[in-house]
Amino acid sequence: MKKSLLTLMALALLGTPAALAAPLKLQNVPVTVETSPKLYVLNDAGIARAFPSAAGRPEAVFLTEDRKVTMAFDWREAKLAPAGVAALTNEFVAGLRGQVPNLKTIRSAAVQVGGHPWGQIIFTTPGQGDDRRFEMLLTSAGGRLLVVTVASNVKDYSRNENVVRNFASSLRVN
């Protein structure tokens, strides 16, 4: 088995299946999401193992049932007002173009989720056997920047797209 698959399997043991379509208020982030039995929630030990550096460790992480797609919540100290979401999204896109080697595709949009403004950035990079797909959702939460990163291979995302879309569309900033 590949090392990454073994790591994700071990991480799943450190998490629990999410409840059946019930609202879940995240502990360390001012967000509520609709959970699904097709998602796992990593506990603190699982997050620490998946993200060993405390500097880049997200506050909450969900995995799809097949453990192929991750959804990580990073509530940053950077100040951000709701009116600044669109401008920040444009800045992120410009930064990605300059900092991500071999960027294959990138697109961005302003979206509304739960009546709240979000910036959405989707990009792909070359990967071994399949391209890597990343989606970043940016918004203001409690006056700070909240980033939700959805990461997977392109094929794995396609297989899990309905679960991920339902999860993303359920995001509610408290």
Side-chain angles (χ1 to χ4, degrees):
M1 278 190 192
K2 291 182 180 177
K3 183 180 177 185
S4 61
L5 179 59
L6 288 173
T7 301
L8 285 176
M9 289 173 64
L11 292 174
L13 295 174
L14 298 172
T16 57
L20 298 172
L24 173 67
K25 182 177 179 333
L26 301 184
Q27 207 171 31
N28 302 322
V29 183
V31 173
T32 300
V33 298
E34 289 289 325
T35 60
S36 162
K38 295 185 181 277
L39 293 173
Y40 286 91
V41 181
L42 287 186
N43 61 23
D44 290 340
I47 293 171
R49 184 172 287 163
F51 301 89
S53 170
R57 188 173 297 145
E59 283 75 21
V61 178
F62 290 80
L63 292 170
T64 54
E65 187 175 41
D66 64 2
R67 295 149 185 89
K68 301 286 187 177
V69 182
T70 61
M71 293 150 285
F73 290 75
D74 184 13
W75 195 28
R76 300 181 183 178
E77 292 295 328
K79 301 290 181 207
L80 180 64
V85 171
L88 183 65
T89 300
N90 292 334
E91 289 175 28
F92 261 71
V93 169
L96 287 169
R97 287 186 198 282
Q99 295 177 7
V100 178
N102 303 318
L103 190 63
K104 289 184 81 172
T105 64
I106 188 165
R107 67 177 197 245
S108 64
V111 296
Q112 289 282 320
V113 179
H116 204 78
W118 290 77
Q120 178 187 49
I121 304 167
I122 300 171
F123 62 99
T124 58
T125 60
Q128 292 183 316
D130 190 11
D131 289 343
R132 295 284 298 158
R133 181 191 187 280
F134 299 90
E135 179 173 353
M136 297 173 71
L137 297 165
L138 316 169
T139 197
S140 172
R144 294 170 38 192
L145 172 61
L146 173 65
V147 180
V148 180
T149 304
V150 180
S152 67
N153 288 330
V154 171
K155 290 176 191 166
D156 295 328
Y157 177 83
S158 294
R159 283 192 296 272
N160 289 285
E161 185 170 5
N162 287 339
V163 172
V164 175
R165 286 290 111 228
N166 288 339
F167 180 81
S169 69
S170 79
L171 297 170
R172 301 293 179 263
V173 176
N174 301 332

